Amino acid sequence: MRPTSPFAPNPALPRLLPALWSGRPMRARLMVVVVLINGVAAAISGAVIIHKARTATEVETAASMAVVEPLVAETLQALQDAPLSGLFRTLALRFQGLRHVRVTLVDAAHRPTEAGTPREGTRRAPRWFAQVIAPPAHRHEVPLVLRGERIGTALVTAEPSDEIDEVWGYALALGLTGLSLSLAMLAILFLAFGRILSPLAQLAAGLTRLEQQDYDARVDRPDTRELAVIATRFNRLAEALSSARAANLRLTRRLLTAEEDERRRTALELHDEFGPCLFGLEANSSSIARIAATLDEPARTRLTQRTDDIAAIVTRVQTINRALLNRLRPAGLGQVPLSRCLELLVREAARHHPEIAVEGHVAGLRAGYGDLVDLTVYRCVQEGLTNALRHAGASRVTVEVAEQEGSLHLAVVDDGTGLIGDRGEGRGEGRGLAGMRERVEGLGGRLALVPREPGTSLRIVLPTGTPEEETP
């Protein structure tokens, strides 16, 4: 295996940066951009300040060093008759007023004099700043000559600490002021971006409502021209979807009405035509059986057997016919109150499944809500009961139907295995549930399967009002 170089680029870094950037809110991205711009501007300003400060410090230091030699000559000229100790003390006092330089006085034997020993001041600027600002070190020797004799030397060394301290104070004040202004600007921009981008949040909420098939969603028109165009297009799209949905609901209602009319006609024909025919077959079979009773054997036995077979077939066909009539059009629906039909349906289910506790709570319903709504409620309760009793493995099933706030609320609740069976396999949506969903949504309602612990709850909400039909 090849050793990894410590200077090799980290392959995770190119993937980390997009991960930190992608998926972030737009306001956060804008704030990051503003912070980066401020950082770059601060870096450029700092570089300019350092360059100017370094240049100014060099100029000030050079000027201060240039003043030392004339000052020494002037002092020596004025103090020709002074003793050496007084002369060195006078020079030291005069040198104390100089800035940006340090002067050390030594005698002719190159021994530092007490008068020339400088005192170290307290620095305010940090060491790193001083190292950046400080110019190259300069040292200059000025001979001290009195009455033609050299009495010592003034060692002049550049000491820009005073200038560096001044620059540091100026840079610190400027940096704090800039930081305060930047923080204030960031706070203002944060609030401003939030206000400017708030229409996008409203637009996202509106799109979520559209995704949930709530086509009444509308957004306010903001002042920003580009966002106003988007808001206008969104509202027009919502209106178009609402109109299309209303047209689809009207078309679905018409299709359901036509389907129910066809079922009613088919049921009427089966009842009026097929029923009498079966009754005639049954009557003729009974008549043949009576005639056969007058005949001798073996003809009597054979005819009696045949008439019994015919009677059994007629009875079975009548049973099938009644079941078919009930599927096409439940008996009594539209002629007795809806609550009574539902109670009979629940009671019949409890009678066929005595091992399961089946309960019904139907109260506060009107006599009827129209053929389509009544039939939809009846079919949904019937299908929900069938699914719970046959497939859920429940010990208790409860049916609740009530009218609340202008809508019919229907629930079929069981304590069975739920949407995930005992083997861990999910139960898909069968044809019965798909048919219920299509019928409910066709009437503008909502259907949902809600998992419980234990069991499942089938919940349906149907509007009780009848939408206006389109004028053909």
Side-chain angles (χ1 to χ4, degrees):
M1 177 183 284
R2 273 181 155 185
T4 304
S5 172
F7 302 101
N10 189 352
L13 187 59
R15 296 192 300 269
L16 179 61
L17 295 178
L20 293 175
W21 179 258
S22 62
R24 302 300 177 187
M26 183 176 292
R27 180 159 64 169
R29 291 187 174 191
L30 291 175
M31 293 302 297
V32 169
V33 171
V34 172
V35 169
L36 290 178
I37 292 175
N38 279 347
V40 172
I44 295 175
S45 300
V48 171
I49 290 174
I50 290 174
H51 175 70
K52 294 293 185 182
R54 186 181 179 89
T55 303
T57 302
E58 289 181 357
V59 172
E60 290 287 338
T61 303
S64 297
M65 293 187 70
V67 171
V68 173
E69 190 168 353
L71 183 62
V72 169
E74 179 185 350
T75 304
L76 293 178
Q77 184 67 28
L79 301 175
Q80 289 288 328
D81 299 329
L84 292 181
S85 58
L87 179 63
F88 284 124
R89 188 175 298 107
T90 302
L91 286 174
L93 291 175
R94 300 200 69 177
F95 290 151
Q96 286 180 357
L98 296 178
R99 301 174 70 240
H100 314 318
V101 293
R102 184 177 69 237
V103 180
T104 302
L105 298 177
V106 297
D107 57 14
H110 297 284
R111 293 191 303 270
T113 65
E114 183 179 355
T117 303
R119 295 182 179 179
E120 293 290 337
T122 302
R123 290 187 177 182
R124 293 184 303 166
R127 184 178 298 274
W128 65 267
F129 186 80
Q131 291 176 351
V132 172
I133 297 297
H138 293 289
R139 187 169 182 177
H140 181 55
E141 295 184 0
V142 177
L144 302 179
V145 179
L146 182 63
R147 294 187 294 272
E149 181 182 357
R150 185 167 181 170
I151 61 174
T153 306
L155 303 178
V156 184
T157 306
E159 184 61 35
S161 58
D162 294 339
E163 185 69 18
I164 292 175
D165 288 342
E166 290 180 4
V167 173
W168 170 250
Y170 169 75
L172 187 61
L174 185 63
L176 292 177
T177 303
L179 179 61
S180 301
L181 292 177
S182 297
L183 291 178
M185 182 188 66
L186 290 177
I188 295 173
L189 287 178
F190 185 81
L191 298 177
F193 287 156
R195 186 173 181 84
I196 293 172
L197 298 176
S198 60
L200 294 180
Q202 296 181 9
L203 183 63
L207 291 173
T208 301
R209 293 178 61 185
L210 288 184
E211 184 181 4
Q212 296 171 352
Q213 299 183 0
D214 180 8
Y215 300 129
D216 294 330
R218 298 293 185 273
V219 296
D220 298 331
R221 192 173 186 274
D223 297 334
T224 308
R225 182 175 60 183
E226 294 81 2
L227 296 179
V229 172
I230 296 176
T232 302
R233 296 291 187 272
F234 175 86
N235 291 334
R236 290 180 182 175
L237 173 63
E239 291 174 1
L241 291 175
S242 180
S243 300
R245 184 187 186 186
N248 287 338
L249 289 178
R250 289 193 293 268
L251 178 60
T252 302
R253 180 174 284 272
R254 287 185 174 183
L255 291 175
L256 291 175
T257 302
E259 180 183 351
E260 293 306 323
D261 290 342
E262 185 64 27
R263 285 173 176 268
R264 188 182 297 108
R265 285 193 296 269
T266 303
L268 185 61
E269 290 177 2
L270 286 175
H271 182 271
D272 294 344
E273 300 293 338
F274 201 52
C277 292
L278 292 175
F279 179 76
L281 284 175
E282 187 177 13
N284 288 327
S285 174
S286 299
S287 176
I288 294 172
R290 287 194 298 270
I291 294 172
T294 63
L295 299 177
D296 296 331
E297 295 293 346
R300 182 176 60 186
T301 302
R302 291 178 180 177
L303 284 176
T304 301
Q305 184 179 0
R306 297 297 184 270
T307 54
D308 291 342
D309 291 342
I310 293 173
I313 294 174
V314 169
T315 301
R316 178 170 177 76
V317 173
Q318 286 176 337
T319 302
I320 295 174
N321 186 46
R322 282 194 295 269
L324 183 59
L325 286 173
N326 188 54
R327 286 198 296 270
L328 290 173
R329 184 73 180 178
L333 194 63
Q335 290 151 4
V336 298
L338 175 62
S339 58
R340 180 61 178 167
C341 294
L342 295 177
E343 289 172 356
L344 291 174
L345 179 61
V346 173
R347 190 179 305 168
E348 188 70 14
R351 186 175 67 83
H352 284 89
H353 298 83
E355 74 282 1
I356 301 176
V358 182
E359 299 177 356
H361 303 283
V362 181
L365 301 184
R366 300 201 296 261
Y369 298 90
D371 287 344
L372 285 180
V373 176
D374 290 352
L375 188 59
T376 299
V377 172
Y378 187 91
R379 293 301 189 197
C380 288
V381 172
Q382 187 180 44
E383 184 66 27
L385 276 173
T386 301
N387 289 338
L389 295 173
R390 291 184 180 177
H391 308 299
S395 61
R396 178 179 295 275
V397 179
T398 304
V399 177
E400 297 177 356
V401 183
E403 182 178 353
Q404 300 175 4
E405 300 178 354
S407 299
L408 281 174
H409 292 254
L410 183 154
V412 180
V413 182
D414 65 73
D415 61 352
T417 57
L419 298 178
I420 304 298
D422 294 333
R423 299 180 180 178
E425 299 176 353
R427 298 205 304 267
E429 186 173 298
R431 287 180 295 178
L433 186 58
M436 272 197 298
R437 187 183 299 278
E438 180 180 354
R439 182 180 287 270
V440 168
E441 292 180 353
L443 295 179
R446 302 187 304 274
L447 181 148
L449 275 177
V450 182
R452 298 174 67 248
E453 187 59 40
T456 307
S457 175
L458 170 66
R459 299 192 177 274
I460 296 173
V461 179
L462 273 176
T464 58
T466 303
E468 297 180 2
E469 296 288 346
E470 278 186 332
T471 303

